[in-house]
Amino acid sequence: MSSQAGNHGSTPAAWTVTILALIGCTISGVAMIAANVMLFWVGAAVVLVGCIAGAGMRMGGLGAAPARR
């Protein structure tokens, strides 16, 4: 079992990814119900932007430090 730092993933980078992924999935889900293909891809783009933003924030020091072995 690995030992994680005391933050348990509660970093600004992790929260940014989580919130943007939730918003993007919600948009895509509504688009599927409404049969709107363009809105579906907008939601997918929001998820992608969230992943990129989270990676950038982690590189900027706002994420968890890599685990040391």
Side-chain angles (χ1 to χ4, degrees), residues 8-21 50 53-55 57-58 62-64:
H8 297 286
S10 295
T11 63
W15 278 105
T16 299
V17 173
T18 302
I19 290 170
L20 287 175
M57 290 175 73
R58 183 172 179 225
L62 295 173

Side-chain angles (χ1 to χ4, degrees), residues 28-52:
S28 291
V30 169
M32 290 177 72
I33 293 170
N36 188 333
V37 176
M38 182 59 84
L39 191 60
F40 173 82
W41 289 112
V42 168
V46 170
V47 173
L48 181 63
V49 167
C51 292
I52 293 169

